[in-house]
Amino acid sequence: MKIGLAVGDVRGPATLDAITGQVRVAADAGFGTAWASQALGWDALTTIAVAGAAADIAVGTAVVPIPQRHPLVLAGQALTVQAAVAGRLTLGVGAGVAAMVSGMFGLPTDRPVQRMRDYLTVLGPLLRGESVDHRGETLTAMGAVNVPGVPAPSVIVAAMGPRMLRLAGELADGTVTWMTGPKALGEHVVPVITKAAADAGRPAPRVVAGLLVCVTGTADDVRARIAEQFALAGQVPEYRAMLDREGVAGPQDVAVVGTETEVAQALSRLRDAGVTEFMAAPYGDADEQDRTIDLLADLAH
C-alpha cells in the first residue's frame, strides 16, 4: 500500500507558499502522492499546478466536484496541470456533496450516477485529445480540447455507494474515499469496484482511502476535537452511509489516532482491506502534524 499526503485546506488554513512547502515536504520525505481537495478556498487544480511544479512528486485532486465544471472546461484545466507537473497528475472527480451543490450553487443533484456516467463518457475521450459529440440525458458536449503532447491523467472517482462504485470500476481507474473505515472498505468498497473493473475488462482498480491521522499520546483528546470540528461532515448523507457501514458514531471513530504503534497497526488493517493507496491527512497543531508526518514517512519507506 502506497502512502500519500494531503496538503492544503484539509489540514487547516494555509497560504499558497505554505501549501507549496507541504508538497516539498511530502516529496523530500518520500511520499507517493501529494493530494489536494476542492473546498471553499484554494482551487485544487491551480494549487497543485503551482505547488506540484516545484517538487518531484505525483499530485492528485481528491476531489474536484463535477457539477460546477463542464467536462470541456475540466479537461482543459486538467491537461494544463498535467503539462505543468510533467505528467504526474491523478484527476480525482466526484459528484459533490448534494447539500452544497444544490444549496450553494443552485444546481441539480438528482440522478448522480447517471450524471457521472454522462460526464465520464465525455471526459475520457477529451483527456485523450479526441473530439466528442454527446447529447446524453444530463449533459451535452461537443468539441475537443487541443493541448498537444500531454498524456491523459489517471482518473479516479469519489465513490462509496454500490452504483457509483460499479460505475467507477467500469469507466475510471479507481476510487477515492473519505471518512470510510477498514470494515466498509474491505467488505463493500473494494469487492464492488474490483468486480466491476474485472467485468469491464479493466485492470485492477486503484483504491485510495483518505482519513485524518494524528500520532499522539492523548488519543481521547484528539478524537474529541475531531468530533467537534467534523460534526457536520458526519451528518452528510454520503459520509453517514459509510460510517453506518462501519458501525461507528462519527468521523472521530474512523480517524487514525494513537501512538506510533497504534497508527502503524491501523494502516496495516487498511492494507489488508485492499486499499492500494492511503491518503493521510495529518491532523492537529504543528507539533502533532510534524510527529504524524515523521511516522508516516518511515512507514512509506
Side-chain angles (χ1 to χ4, degrees), residues 179 212 219-235 249-253 255 283:
M179 293 188 187
L212 297 170
D220 289 345
D221 171 67
V222 171
R223 290 192 189 277
R225 281 187 274 152
I226 292 173
E228 180 178 3
Q229 186 175 344
F230 289 86
L232 287 177
Q235 298 173 25
Q252 70 276 10
D253 299 313
Y283 177 82

Side-chain angles (χ1 to χ4, degrees), residues 22-288:
Q22 292 173 358
V23 173
R24 287 198 184 101
V25 167
D28 292 344
F31 288 98
T33 305
W35 296 94
S37 59
Q38 182 68 48
L40 297 176
W42 297 105
D43 176 74
L45 278 166
T46 307
T47 299
I48 59 173
V50 174
D56 185 13
I57 186 173
V59 293
T61 58
V63 293
V64 174
I66 64 170
Q68 302 93 311
R69 307 193 198 202
H70 191 278
L72 279 161
V73 174
L74 182 58
Q77 290 177 316
L79 289 171
T80 301
V81 176
Q82 177 76 317
V85 299
R88 292 178 273 116
L89 172 67
T90 291
L91 177 62
V93 298
V97 174
M100 293 179 65
V101 173
S102 61
M104 297 183 67
F105 296 96
L107 296 170
T109 58
D110 62 311
R111 297 183 292 166
V113 177
Q114 182 59 51
R115 292 183 185 280
M116 184 62 76
R117 177 173 291 279
D118 277 349
Y119 202 98
L120 293 175
T121 299
V122 170
L123 182 64
L126 289 173
L127 291 172
R128 296 191 295 270
E130 302 168 10
S131 296
V132 298
D133 185 351
H134 181 85
R135 296 171 177 84
E137 293 183 29
T138 67
L139 177 69
T140 295
M142 291 173 284
V145 175
N146 183 23
V147 183
V150 181
S154 176
V155 177
I156 59 176
V157 177
M160 292 177 283
R163 294 178 61 217
M164 193 70 83
L165 282 166
R166 287 193 288 269
L167 178 61
E170 176 189 350
L171 294 181
D173 299 312
T175 187
V176 55
T177 65
W178 180 242
M179 293 188 187
T180 303
K183 181 176 183 288
L185 286 159
E187 297 179 3
H188 169 62
V189 172
V190 172
V192 172
I193 192 172
T194 300
K195 183 180 185 302
D199 289 347
R202 296 180 63 93
R206 298 170 63 182
V207 178
V208 183
L211 290 169
L212 297 170
V213 188
C214 184
V215 177
T216 177
T218 57
D220 289 345
D221 171 67
V222 171
R223 290 192 189 277
R225 281 187 274 152
I226 292 173
E228 180 178 3
Q229 186 175 344
F230 289 86
L232 287 177
Q235 298 173 25
V236 170
E238 294 90 336
Y239 300 142
R240 185 68 256 170
M242 292 300 100
L243 294 170
D244 289 343
R245 281 186 181 272
E246 197 71 21
V248 298
Q252 70 276 10
D253 299 313
V254 292
V256 179
V257 178
T259 63
E260 281 81 357
T261 298
E262 290 167 335
V263 168
Q265 291 171 341
L267 265 61
S268 294
R269 289 193 289 273
L270 292 169
R271 180 199 61 213
D272 293 344
V275 171
T276 64
E277 301 168 55
F278 179 52
M279 179 179 68
Y283 177 82
D285 61 28
D287 289 340
E288 289 170 324

